[in-house]
Amino acid sequence: MKKIEKAEIITALLEKRYPETECGLLWEGDPYRLLIMAILSAQCTDARVNIVSKTLFARFPTACDMAKAELGDIENEIRSVGLYRSKARALKECCERLVSVYGGILPSEMEELLTLRGVGRKVANLLRGDVFGLGGIVADTHCIRISGRLGLSKGKDPLEVERSLQKLIPTEKQSGFCHRMVLFGREICTARSPKCNECELYEFCVNKDKDKR
Ligand code: SF4
């Protein structure tokens, strides 16, 4: 079976398991919120980011508010997310540029997004997919681990995994595919002791039963 056919079947099986998917970050349809929450989510759970964001957005509801904020005030709001000092600086500088260069409106091009402090390819792809419907492979830890186990990508380099999956998953399916990878990675194909005996992708997996502890 060709890799692209395998990817198509895997995508369909994941869609069957998770008919509805949405980002774990509760961004309420506001691109500014998803931008901020995605930056905060590095090495932090979605649940924690959702909690912290409630008071953060009550205090700084727009990019302009965040750009004008005192660094210490941002730090105080996000203290529980970890790496809060560098994240606070990223939020402020990101919003300063968003306001001064883009009038507070999130740009959609990858090259433009990457000029915003705190935005790497993972965040940029998430934004392009969820905000603009432009697709994008979010090569996070779940995506890298599971696509590797399934033989859809090689290695752990996020850019290489992104490039491999770009070729295999149609643009309009990429965001959903990545959100489903997260759900599947939390429920079935966990980092330690994946539940291979419950896995509908078993026959397509090149790593089945290998990572069991
Ligand atoms: S068979 Fe096991 S390792 Fe392979 S995708 Fe399923 S749960 Fe993950």
Side-chain angles (χ1 to χ4, degrees), residues 71-104:
L71 200 52
D73 290 339
I74 303 175
E75 287 177 357
N76 284 338
E77 291 295 336
I78 66 169
R79 208 167 275 269
S80 66
V81 300
L83 306 173
Y84 71 94
R85 283 186 199 278
S86 61
K87 285 181 183 175
R89 185 168 291 282
L91 296 190
K92 182 169 171 59
E93 291 185 14
C94 174
C95 287
E96 283 171 349
R97 182 169 171 81
L98 187 61
V99 170
S100 64
V101 178
Y102 299 104

Side-chain angles (χ1 to χ4, degrees), residues 21-27 34 37 45-47 49-50 126 130 179 182-183 186:
T21 63
E22 55 185 38
C23 183
L25 301 170
L26 304 176
W27 57 288
L34 186 56
M37 295 173 93
T45 64
D46 288 351
V49 173
N50 287 334
L126 177 78
D130 284 7
H179 287 317
V182 174
L183 298 173
R186 288 179 183 153

Side-chain angles (χ1 to χ4, degrees), residues 176-189:
F177 178 85
C178 295
H179 287 317
R180 289 182 175 93
M181 284 267 135
V182 174
L183 298 173
F184 191 66
R186 288 179 183 153
E187 188 188 356
I188 303 292
C189 192

Side-chain angles (χ1 to χ4, degrees), residues 138-150:
V138 180
D140 67 0
T141 180
H142 297 290
C143 182
I144 292 170
R145 179 179 72 255
I146 301 169
S147 60
R149 284 174 174 170
L150 291 167

Side-chain angles (χ1 to χ4, degrees), residues 59-76:
R59 191 153 182 201
F60 310 115
T62 67
C64 196
D65 296 318
M66 188 73 80
K68 286 191 286 189
E70 294 293 329
L71 200 52
D73 290 339
I74 303 175
E75 287 177 357
N76 284 338

Side-chain angles (χ1 to χ4, degrees), residues 151-193:
L152 299 179
S153 61
K154 280 189 188 151
K156 297 195 185 304
D157 178 59
L159 185 55
E160 294 217 353
V161 172
E162 182 189 324
R163 287 195 174 132
S164 301
L165 293 177
Q166 278 275 5
K167 293 182 201 147
L168 297 174
I169 312 295
T171 305
E172 69 278 10
K173 299 242 177 205
Q174 288 173 357
S175 298
F177 178 85
C178 295
H179 287 317
R180 289 182 175 93
M181 284 267 135
V182 174
L183 298 173
F184 191 66
R186 288 179 183 153
E187 188 188 356
I188 303 292
C189 192
T190 48
R192 286 169 161 260
S193 303

